Amino acid sequence: MPELKLLSSHLLFDGSQKRYRHRSESLNCEMNFSIFSPPGISHNKKVPAIYWLSGLTCTDENFTLKAGAQRAAAELGVALVIPDTSPRGNGVASAPDAAYDLGLGAGFYVNATQAPWSHHYRMYDYVVDELPALIEQHFPVNDRRSICGHSMGGHGALVIALRNPQRYQSVSAFSPIANPTTSPWGKKAFGHYLGDDVKNWRGYDASLLIEASRASEHLPMMVDQGDADEFLIEQLKIKRLIAACKTVNYPAQITLRAGYDHSYFFISTFIEDHLRFHAKALGPDVNL
């Protein structure tokens, strides 16, 4: 069983907010993650987990400190698991121009196939397989999972859930990069991580995955997008996601929020709605 190093611990709404470091086999480096455990759990009373994937430039601490999600999670009786957004440390490749949208803080939740990225940048495997196995070994958390995220993390959450519907009960996103194969952010990252052949990008594009989905694989899906988001038109492509859902009658709940931008002010306003959405799907172990 991999060892965990406790980095910090705080009592919060009678639950615990902790941060750990461990050695990741998927990413070939040490990784940090944060976890909120609701009050009253034990190895005789395991709870479901909601995984949160953060956006460009973030670490696990952005959501932990800014979203204000712990109060609702404590009430609902669900754990929150928040990984970092990329591999880090000595020897991990970074963008040569220190760009914010490639390399450190910008893993895009893919399995990189191109050098030098492929040695470390396998965030898809880390989130789908390694981290849940680690969490379920070390904490009183069961195997009922939901996943959500913001921006690059919204892209990651949608893609991971759509590709692994048997592993998740529901998926949600704030301001996701919904069609990254046509987005400047996505094209830059995918070109470096996955190579020039666009066919290899399609498996990491939520809009394209929805168009190829089967009705039996439809998970409950919720997406919130602010209409004052500065990245809405060029980068996020929410209209493409809406069109894909209509094409295959995918029952997604997609809401445009008037006046809201791309920030954590937006996330903190609606995060409780998302947690309650997931709690409903995760039942019967939650406190609705």
Side-chain angles (χ1 to χ4, degrees), residues 20-131:
Y20 290 91
R21 179 170 297 152
H22 73 102
R23 177 73 186 180
S24 167
E25 296 300 321
S26 300
L27 304 175
N28 293 303
C29 67
E30 291 193 329
M31 288 292 287
N32 297 337
F33 70 88
S34 294
I35 180 169
F36 175 75
S37 300
I41 67 173
S42 69
H43 284 282
N44 293 321
K45 183 187 177 184
K46 296 184 178 183
V47 298
I50 299 173
Y51 287 75
W52 172 271
L53 306 184
S54 295
L56 288 166
T57 76
C58 290
T59 69
D60 55 298
E61 293 191 293
N62 293 75
F63 180 81
T64 301
L65 298 175
K66 294 181 179 181
Q70 293 92 340
R71 181 189 60 78
E75 177 187 337
L76 294 166
V78 296
L80 301 175
V81 181
I82 309 105
D84 201 348
T85 55
S86 79
R88 299 178 192 267
N90 294 334
V92 174
S94 60
D97 57 356
Y100 75 94
D101 54 355
L102 181 70
L104 303 182
F108 271 83
Y109 306 101
V110 304
N111 282 341
T113 59
Q114 305 299 302
W117 313 101
S118 56
H119 185 62
H120 293 286
Y121 285 78
R122 301 186 63 83
M123 287 296 294
Y124 178 89
D125 280 352
Y126 179 71
V127 172
V128 172
D129 295 315
E130 184 178 7
L131 185 59

Side-chain angles (χ1 to χ4, degrees), residues 236-277:
L236 304 180
K237 313 286 186 178
I238 193 66
K239 289 184 177 179
R240 182 69 178 83
L241 182 68
I242 293 170
C245 290
K246 288 182 177 178
T247 297
V248 297
N249 295 314
Y250 200 107
Q253 178 183 328
I254 302 176
T255 306
L256 294 177
R257 302 289 187 177
Y260 284 92
D261 58 22
H262 201 71
S263 70
Y264 265 83
F265 295 112
F266 173 43
I267 295 169
S268 63
T269 300
F270 296 104
I271 189 61
E272 183 171 348
D273 293 348
H274 283 242
L275 297 186
R276 292 189 178 278
F277 168 80

Side-chain angles (χ1 to χ4, degrees), residues 223-239:
V223 177
D224 272 314
Q225 172 65 62
D227 72 359
D229 191 317
E230 62 269 39
F231 304 113
L232 176 59
I233 303 301
E234 182 180 20
Q235 300 284 10
L236 304 180
K237 313 286 186 178
I238 193 66
K239 289 184 177 179

Side-chain angles (χ1 to χ4, degrees), residues 48 50 144-146 168-171 219-221 274-286 288:
I50 299 173
R144 293 184 66 79
R145 315 174 195 95
S146 289
Y168 300 95
Q169 305 303 309
S170 54
V171 58
L219 287 174
M221 180 185 294
H274 283 242
L275 297 186
R276 292 189 178 278
F277 168 80
H278 291 302
K280 184 177 179 180
L282 286 166
D285 300 318
V286 296
L288 292 173

